[in-house]
């Protein structure tokens, strides 16, 4: 016994039971982040260095969109590379050159590591450096890992943004404090937040990632960062290493989450509380109004979350506190206790949080509990529906504008829709 | 290293999954990193299956690499056996697990499970999905079909066949199978076993009880059928019944092997395609330039249908199935062209551009090319996406399949009247030049400005030498040629000018070239 050991704040006080589980995991790897990141950064290209499996994953996820010119591709490692018959670095240079020739409009190229490239220890950071020099100044080349062995789904975005951080312009110590909102948001959400911050008189607000490679924000000791997404552990650490300070806040999901998130920034910049109330009041009112009809649909509904994106905790908090839903189990692939502390503090006492996964055991628990709504990935959704359980497929929560006041109703609707659908179908 | 924008096939373990998911009572334990479970979505979303595929993944992570990944694999095998109690199991590795070399076969054998456990060696850096499916089916048949079972004497019973090839995630396999089963019933032939679709390991044990085998998809089932031929002396039918002609040949071949009379099945007009294709409305289809690409089975069959049953001109033919390159080359030679044998999407794109096709019949990937080049396109082969697992009955095989093909191949083309009027009046605000065929409404709202086909980016270098300059009047005249043959006319005129070393292209040159090449 060590009486002096600090008890982690999250486990104490708030009465949330956190359990860890290991076993088979039904989750995406970090490569999947490319599916939305390539749309957000409009002049970036994502080149996965991996196997045919990696190529197959990306096109299975994104291939239903018909592209005149896709902005992602895979350099498939073949036998000659593995046998050492071909110098992999030379091969990578050749492939990259062919790509840049084809797409002269590309300004930022990400070399994305995969399980095979990580296992054989191909040095992508060095390759990126080398290629950056040879394409300078037209194209910048960066690298990050989206491998399944290291990253789960949204952690791919974390790795990508963290790779951007060292290259961000330096903001000097004597500059006025600025706010940096971190995490890829839908453009419409980004614009709403920008307007809200402007309304509070915060004029130095930037977003990471920016929509174009040449417009990435600067960072320095006077930068305050506000995480818009819960899965940005490495990015936050990298920004902190450059002197930035993270503002602790719950995530901007639902009316309550959005207010608390905005308030964290307002407090840090000394915004007058009356002004804050004034600026947030219209959004808050609209969110309340939009949420009301969904509360009647979701109140008392028992919800089960399978792990997927790390959005599960904030979503569960939103469902429980703003829509009166009941939480059976909240799975998350990874739990950053520091970033999640404000969320854990808001979860209802007695909530079961499971970090990690043992798929079959978790499915048994889910079947036994027979929840009203199961939030899970697409590999499980149709099979569970066929067993008579209503499901909400979780990936959609990454592809849909859900943050902020004016999306609170839309977010609730995402959960209500499968339930509504069940009442409509007579076949 | 190969730059891959799109890949035509997945890795070989996806092929193994397609076999396992098609069957009943078989479980697959796949040594694979976290994330490779994306493959489940192919079956639950694209094919809309209502159960998880019978696959257990080890989903190891980086922290496991320092520890005992072999033990993780063995635990997964034991747990899967306990939970699912399959009749048989297949075990193997995905591409990453192949690198860490844990030997799934040996590890599973060491567990001494009381069921057949069949190890799969699927070299992920060499081979691909269809090979993986073929190899898995072959290994299963070899392990489970035995060697002794002989069909009972033919006296006093109906002939029996096995139908081999339909898998999960196959292009229209569900409906092709239904179509072929109907044909067999009409011929008075019993189906002994369908494999892998719906078969259990025990069913594979009864394969020897048939008189002959029908191989619907040679990419997947040829190896297994060859093994059955060697072991049981069962002959096989390999004619792929796609199109009216091929279906007729197929029926005749099957009838010979079964000793039945094909005449009643072939009598009358079993397909509407011949009449639809002969009706005058189809006259404008004559000589339409079509590019065909897909797996070998579909590319070969569709090229024949296009040329001999719809009257198109096949200006390009290719496949990503290297194992069948020889057949495809031979078929291409019949059309007077050179086959495109490649799994490189960019090569296919260049070939389509070079062939100046008016219609592309290909895979989901060719839809991307066609969008970029502004060419109509229909999907005739895997890889495909969710819209090609339709709810309605839509076979490609048999006589109903030919009906489906007629509609599919003609639909993307602009209708005859529209095409004529476009050729006569160029300034119409609604049916303007280069807009999508109006019945397709590809872009929702009609574009206001004439959207000429996107000029191709510099992939194929201009063929040798300088291109003669177009005079403004000639350029304007060129625009009067219907957009879907305009690229061809431009290329022909430039070639004509080059061959005659003309420095300028005038209106006269344009019409000289037209007269020279004809259409």
């Amino acid at each position: 016994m060590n009486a002096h050991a600090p008890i982690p704040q999250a486990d104490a006080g708030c009465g949330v039971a956190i359990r860890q589980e290991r076993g088979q995991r039904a989750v995406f790897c970090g490569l999947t982040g490319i599916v939305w990141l390539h749309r957000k950064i409009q002049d970036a290209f994502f080149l996965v260095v991996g196997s045919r499996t990696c190529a197959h994953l990306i096109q299975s996820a994104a291939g239903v969109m018909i592209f005149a010119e896709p902005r992602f591709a895979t350099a498939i490692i073949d036998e000659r590379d593995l046998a050492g018959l071909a110098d992999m670095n030379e091969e990578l240079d050749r492939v990259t050159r062919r790509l840049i020739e084809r797409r002269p409009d590309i300004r930022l190229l990400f070399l994305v590591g995969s399980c095979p490239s990580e296992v054989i220890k191909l040095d992508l950071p060095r390759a990126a450096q080398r290629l950056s020099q040879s394409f300078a100044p037209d194209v910048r080349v960066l690298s990050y890992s989206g491998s399944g062995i290291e990253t789960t789904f949204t952690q791919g975005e974390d790795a990508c943004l963290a790779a951007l951080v060292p290259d961000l312009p330096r903001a000097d110590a004597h500059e006025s404090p600025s706010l940096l909102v971190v995490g890829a948001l839908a453009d419409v959400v980004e614009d709403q937040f920008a307007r809200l911050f402007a309304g509070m008189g915060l004029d130095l607000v930037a977003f990471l990632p920016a929509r174009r490679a040449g417009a990435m924000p600067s960072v320095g000791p006077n930068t305050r960062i506000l995480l818009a997404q819960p899965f940005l552990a490495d990015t936050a650490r990298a920004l902190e290493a450059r002197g930035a300070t993270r503002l602790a806040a719950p995530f901007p999901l639902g009316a309550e989450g959005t207010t608390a998130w905005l308030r964290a920034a307002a407090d840090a910049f000394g915004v007058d509380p009356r002004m804050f109330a004034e600026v947030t009041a219209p959004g808050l009112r609209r969110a309340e109004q939009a949420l009301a009809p969904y509360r009647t649909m979701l109140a008392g509904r028992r919800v089960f979350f399978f792990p997927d994106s790390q959005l599960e905790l904030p979503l569960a908090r939103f469902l429980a506190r703003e829509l009166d839903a009941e939480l059976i189990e909240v799975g998350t692939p990874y739990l950053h206790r520091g970033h999640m502390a404000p969320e854990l503090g808001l979860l209802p006492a007695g909530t079961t949080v499971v970090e990690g996964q043992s798929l079959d055991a978790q499915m048994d628990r889910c079947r036994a509990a027979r929840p009203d709504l199961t939030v899970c990935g697409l590999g499980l959704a149709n099979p569970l529906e066929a067993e008579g359980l209503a499901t909400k497929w979780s990936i959609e929560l990454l592809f849909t504008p859900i943050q902020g006041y004016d999306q609170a109703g839309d977010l609730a609707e995402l959960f209500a829709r499968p339930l509504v659908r069940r009442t409509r179908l007579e076949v | 290293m190969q730059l891959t924008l799109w890949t035509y096939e997945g890795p070989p373990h996806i092929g193994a999954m397609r076999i396992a998911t098609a069957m009943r009572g078989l479980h697959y334990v796949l040594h694979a990193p976290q994330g490779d479970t994306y493959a489940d979505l192919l079956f639950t979303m694209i094919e809309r299956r209502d159960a998880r595929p019978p696959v257990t993944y080890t989903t190891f992570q980086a922290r496991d690499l320092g520890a005992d990944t072999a033990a993780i694999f063995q635990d997964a095998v034991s747990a899967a056996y306990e939970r699912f109690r399959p009749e048989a199991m297949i075990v193997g590795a995905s591409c990453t697990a192949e690198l860490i070399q844990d030997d799934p076969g040996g590890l599973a054998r060491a567990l001494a499970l009381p069921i057949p456990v069949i190890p799969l060696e699927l070299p992920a850096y060499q081979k691909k999905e269809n090979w993986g499916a073929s190899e898995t089916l072959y290994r299963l048949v070899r392990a489970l079909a035995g060697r002794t079972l002989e069909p009972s004497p033919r006296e006093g019973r109906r002939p029996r066949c096995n139908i081999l090839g339909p898998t999960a995630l196959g292009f229209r396999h569900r409906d092709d199978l239904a179509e072929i089963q109907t044909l067999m019933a009409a011929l008075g032939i019993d189906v002994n076993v369908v494999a892998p679709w719906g078969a259990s390991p025990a069913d594979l044990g009864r394969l020897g009880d048939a008189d002959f085998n029908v191989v619907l998809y040679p990419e997947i089932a040829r190896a297994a059928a060859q093994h059955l031929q060697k072991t049981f002396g069962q002959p096989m039918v390999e004619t792929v019944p796609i199109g009216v002609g091929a279906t007729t040949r197929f029926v005749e071949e099957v009838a010979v092997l079964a000793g039945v009379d094909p005449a009643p099945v072939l009598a009358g007009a079993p397909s509407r395609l011949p009449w639809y294709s002969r009706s005058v409305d189809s006259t404008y289809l004559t000589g339409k330039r079509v590019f065909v690409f897909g797996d070998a089975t579909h590319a070969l069959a569709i090229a024949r249908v296009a040329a001999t049953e719809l009257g198109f001109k096949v200006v390009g033919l290719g496949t990503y199935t290297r194992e069948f390159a020889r057949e495809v080359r031979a078929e291409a030679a019949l059309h007077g062209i050179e086959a495109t044998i490649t799994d490189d999407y960019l090569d296919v794109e260049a070939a389509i551009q070079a062939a100046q096709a008016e219609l592309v019949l290909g895979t989901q990937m060719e839809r991307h090319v066609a969008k970029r080049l502004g060419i109509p396109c229909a999907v005739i082969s895997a890889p495909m996406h969710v819209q090609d697992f339709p709810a309605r009955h839509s076979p490609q095989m048999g006589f109903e399949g030919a009906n489906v093909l007629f509609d599919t191949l003609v639909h993307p083309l602009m209708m005859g009247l529209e095409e004529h009027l476009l050729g006569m009046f160029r300034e119409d605000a609604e049916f303007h030049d280069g807009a999508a065929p109006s019945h397709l409404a590809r872009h929702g709202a009609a574009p206001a400005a004439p959207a000429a086909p996107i000029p191709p980016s510099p992939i194929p270098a201009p063929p040798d030498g300088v291109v003669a300059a177009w005079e403004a009047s000639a350029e304007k005249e060129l625009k009067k040629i219907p957009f879907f043959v305009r690229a061809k006319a431009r290329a022909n005129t430039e070639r004509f000018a080059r061959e005659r070393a003309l420095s300028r292209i005038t209106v006269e040159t344009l019409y000289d070239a037209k007269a020279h090449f004809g259409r």
Side-chain angles (χ1 to χ4, degrees), chain A residues 21-29 45 47 49-70 72-82 88 91-92 94-95 98-99 102 115-117 119-120 122 147-152 155 359-361 363-364 367 378-384 386-387 395, chain B residues 1-14 33-42 44-46 48-53 55-65 72 83-84 94-96 98-100 124-129 169 343-347 349 364-365 367-369 371-372 383 385-387 454 457-459:
Chain A
E21 194 170 54
R22 290 193 66 177
Q24 189 186 179
R25 294 166 67 109
V27 289
F28 280 123
C29 66
F45 194 101
L47 179 64
V49 182
S51 65
R52 193 165 299 281
T53 310
C54 310
H56 195 233
L57 159 81
I58 304 272
Q59 83 178 35
S60 304
V64 76
M65 301 186 268
I66 305 295
F67 294 99
E69 279 293 354
F72 47 81
T74 310
I76 294 184
I77 297 169
D78 59 31
E79 232 187 347
R80 295 173 64 248
D81 301 311
L82 293 176
M88 283 182 98
E91 284 289 290
L92 188 56
R94 178 181 62 77
V95 162
R98 186 174 178 204
L99 181 68
R102 187 184 159 84
C115 300
S117 76
V119 167
I120 61 173
L122 183 61
S147 75
I149 55 177
E150 292 157 307
T151 59
T152 305
Q155 284 177 321
L359 178 62
D360 287 319
M363 287 187 81
D364 285 347
R367 288 178 179 123
L378 288 172
L380 305 180
N382 272 337
L384 288 175
E387 292 180 26
I395 301 135
Chain B
M1 236 175 241
Q2 187 196 354
L3 177 62
T4 311
L5 270 73
W6 301 107
T7 170
Y8 286 99
E9 292 181 74
H13 73 259
I14 298 291
Q34 162 178 275
D36 279 5
T37 50
Y38 83 86
D40 285 355
L41 273 70
L42 305 171
T44 61
M45 294 308 296
I46 296 182
R48 286 184 222 255
R49 288 196 170 242
D50 61 1
R52 292 189 56 225
V55 182
T56 297
Y57 305 80
T58 53
T59 58
F60 57 83
Q61 292 173 268
R63 61 182 176 198
D64 299 319
L65 292 177
I72 292 177
R83 175 172 286 268
F84 300 104
S94 80
C95 53
T96 305
E98 190 182 328
L99 297 171
I100 58 177
Y125 297 91
Q126 258 175 52
K127 302 289 189 181
K128 288 175 286 199
E129 179 176 332
L169 214 64
D343 57 359
D344 189 332
Y345 164 84
L346 297 177
D347 290 349
E349 185 182 69
Q364 174 76 6
M365 297 354 356
R367 294 179 69 194
H368 300 281
V369 180
K371 175 178 181 181
R372 181 158 179 268
H385 230 289
V386 61
Q387 59 274 61
I454 304 162
S457 73
I459 308 154

Side-chain angles (χ1 to χ4, degrees), chain B residues 383-394:
Chain B
M384 62 293 189
H385 230 289
V386 61
Q387 59 274 61
D388 278 301
F389 285 95
R392 66 180 183 277
H393 183 58
S394 28

Side-chain angles (χ1 to χ4, degrees), chain B residues 101-452:
Chain B
Q101 299 184 333
D102 274 335
D103 183 22
L107 290 168
R109 208 175 314 120
L111 292 170
L113 297 179
I115 53 166
V117 177
I118 299 141
L120 300 175
E121 294 283 345
L122 307 175
Y125 297 91
Q126 258 175 52
K127 302 289 189 181
K128 288 175 286 199
E129 179 176 332
N130 282 335
W131 187 89
S134 171
E135 173 73 6
T136 304
L137 183 61
Y138 166 71
R139 291 284 155 198
L140 280 166
V141 167
R142 229 180 92 135
L144 301 171
R147 323 205 133 260
T148 53
L149 196 61
E150 295 281 333
S152 52
R154 286 287 275 271
E155 302 301 317
R157 68 163 174 84
R158 288 163 38 121
R160 276 200 293 262
C161 74
N162 298 317
I163 298 180
L164 303 178
T167 65
L169 214 64
F171 188 75
R172 309 290 167 89
H173 286 197
R174 177 197 69 195
D175 301 339
D176 284 350
L177 175 60
E179 210 49 37
I180 297 307
Q181 282 172 319
T182 308
L183 266 183
M184 291 299 169
L187 284 164
I189 300 168
D190 289 335
V191 175
N192 180 50
V193 173
V194 176
W197 188 280
S200 68
D203 290 335
L204 297 188
R206 299 189 292 110
L207 281 168
D209 204 20
D211 301 315
F212 63 97
N213 289 312
V214 169
V215 176
L216 290 188
Y217 308 101
E219 281 100 334
I220 289 161
R222 179 184 281 178
Q226 282 170 338
H227 172 78
L228 292 170
Q229 191 167 31
K230 254 195 315 205
T231 312
F232 301 111
Q234 290 168 333
M236 60 168 136
V237 177
E238 258 204 305
T239 299
V240 176
I242 296 180
V244 176
T247 303
T248 305
R249 279 201 308 284
F250 172 84
V251 167
E252 286 165 350
E253 284 173 37
V254 166
V256 167
L257 285 182
V260 298
D261 180 13
V265 169
L266 299 178
S271 168
R272 290 180 205 102
L273 182 144
W275 168 242
Y276 268 57
S277 198
R278 281 177 191 278
S279 73
V280 293
D281 192 48
S282 299
T283 313
Y284 82 108
L285 301 177
T286 314
K288 283 269 179 212
R289 303 170 58 82
V290 53
F291 191 100
V292 183
F293 193 84
D295 63 22
T297 300
H298 289 90
L300 285 169
I302 298 294
R304 281 178 209 138
V305 172
T308 63
E309 299 182 14
L310 288 167
F312 292 150
K313 179 174 171 54
V314 177
V315 295
L317 172 61
T319 184
Y320 54 81
T321 318
R322 283 182 191 281
E323 292 88 337
F324 291 72
R326 198 161 6 130
E327 282 101 319
V328 177
R329 284 206 178 91
E331 182 71 23
L334 296 179
H335 297 282
I337 49 177
E338 202 168 315
T340 308
I341 311 292
T342 182
D343 57 359
D344 189 332
Y345 164 84
L346 297 177
D347 290 349
V348 178
E349 185 182 69
I352 291 176
Q353 234 170 329
Q356 310 282 356
E358 293 169 66
L359 173 66
V360 175
L361 304 174
T363 72
Q364 174 76 6
M365 297 354 356
E366 278 64 56
R367 294 179 69 194
H368 300 281
V369 180
K371 175 178 181 181
R372 181 158 179 268
L373 302 178
I375 308 174
C377 176
V379 175
I380 51 99
S381 161
M384 62 293 189
H385 230 289
V386 61
Q387 59 274 61
D388 278 301
F389 285 95
R392 66 180 183 277
H393 183 58
S394 28
Q396 294 228 306
M397 289 184 174
F399 295 118
E400 178 59 23
N403 296 340
V404 171
L405 279 180
F406 181 88
D407 294 344
T408 311
L409 269 51
V410 172
H411 180 92
L413 294 169
M414 187 170 288
M415 293 303 189
L417 175 64
E418 198 175 348
E419 185 179 316
H420 279 300
L421 292 180
L422 264 172
M424 290 176 66
F425 310 109
R426 318 236 130 247
E427 322 269 311
D428 190 289
E430 185 178 3
F431 298 102
H432 61 77
D433 184 23
S438 60
H439 64 292
L440 283 187
R442 263 190 309 199
H443 306 294

